[in-house]
């Protein structure tokens, strides 16, 4: 009976976090305007879910994030939507499969990585606030590095075409995105995960 109650509570908690992910992904709340760039916040509930509910929950939430990204890039396409929506592929079925990986697969990695990193840091008896901040920062960087790294490895040519640059210049553009957008997003994630995570962990206890 206790196991059933625990499973039901876990499922309800995952469903609640899924609703938060969908809300952020569907509204301007999913973006924070920084002085130079906009930082996404959609991955933050994914990281928090991984911390509070484990790597499996984090992976599920990451998948939901990825599906939301895929739908958004299909319904309101941009120049880079070919990398996130299989329906916007510029290279046929091969490109469609790559888009699914970038949009969904890379986002699943966020929750999986963050969940196991939190478990590792907890076992190391690291200061809780520091551990939350590190998990938030690294989870966010997994998102940026996995997505941009996959675009570079799998879709460098079409990326160069839409950016109207030589293929040799793609690496520089990828690194500029990681620096200008990925690092500020990671800092925001570190702060928010530390603050919100500390409060939520108290409620769970």
């Amino acid at each position: 009976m206790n196991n059933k109650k625990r499973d039901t509570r876990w499922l309800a908690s995952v469903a609640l976090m899924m609703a938060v992910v969908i809300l952020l992904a569907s509204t301007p709340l999913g973006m924070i305007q920084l002085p130079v760039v906009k930082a996404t916040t959609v991955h933050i509930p994914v990281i928090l879910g991984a911390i509070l509910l484990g790597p499996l929950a984090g992976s599920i939430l990451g998948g939901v994030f990825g599906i939301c990204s895929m739908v958004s890039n299909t319904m309101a396409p941009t120049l880079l939507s070919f990398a996130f929506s299989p329906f916007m592929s510029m290279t046929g079925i091969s490109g469609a499969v790559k888009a699914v990986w970038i949009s969904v697969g890379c986002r699943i990695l966020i929750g999986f990585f963050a969940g196991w990193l939190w478990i590792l840091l907890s076992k190391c008896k690291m200061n809780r606030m520091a551990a939350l901040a590190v998990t938030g920062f690294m989870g966010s960087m997994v998102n940026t590095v996995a997505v941009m790294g996959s675009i570079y490895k799998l879709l460098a040519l079409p990326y160069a075409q839409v950016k109207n640059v030589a293929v040799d210049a793609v690496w520089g553009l990828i690194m500029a995105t990681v620096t200008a957008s990925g690092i500020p997003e990671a800092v925001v994630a570190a702060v928010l995960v530390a603050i919100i995570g500390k409060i939520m962990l108290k409620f769970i206890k």
Side-chain angles (χ1 to χ4, degrees), residues 105-158:
C106 290
R107 272 52 185 273
I108 289 174
L109 291 178
I110 302 171
F112 181 82
F113 176 85
W116 283 111
L117 178 59
W118 172 252
I119 290 172
L120 175 63
L121 295 178
S122 298
K123 287 183 177 179
C124 293
K125 296 182 179 180
M126 186 177 185
N127 175 272
R128 177 165 288 184
M129 282 292 284
L132 286 167
V134 169
T135 304
F137 185 91
M138 294 304 297
S140 179
M141 287 305 296
V142 165
N143 177 46
T144 302
V145 172
V147 169
M148 297 309 297
S150 293
I151 289 175
Y152 176 70
K153 283 291 185 180
L154 303 176
L155 298 171
L157 180 57

Side-chain angles (χ1 to χ4, degrees), residues 22 98 136:
I22 294 170
K98 293 172 183 177

Side-chain angles (χ1 to χ4, degrees), residues 33-58:
Q33 181 64 59
L34 298 176
V36 180
V37 297
K38 285 185 177 181
T40 182
T41 60
V42 185
H43 56 290
I44 291 175
V46 176
I47 297 169
L48 287 169
I51 291 170
L52 299 168
L53 304 169
L56 175 58

Side-chain angles (χ1 to χ4, degrees), residues 17-33:
M17 296 300 287
M18 285 172 60
V20 175
V21 170
I22 294 170
L23 174 65
L24 290 178
S26 307
T27 67
L29 294 173
M31 301 293 288
I32 293 179
Q33 181 64 59

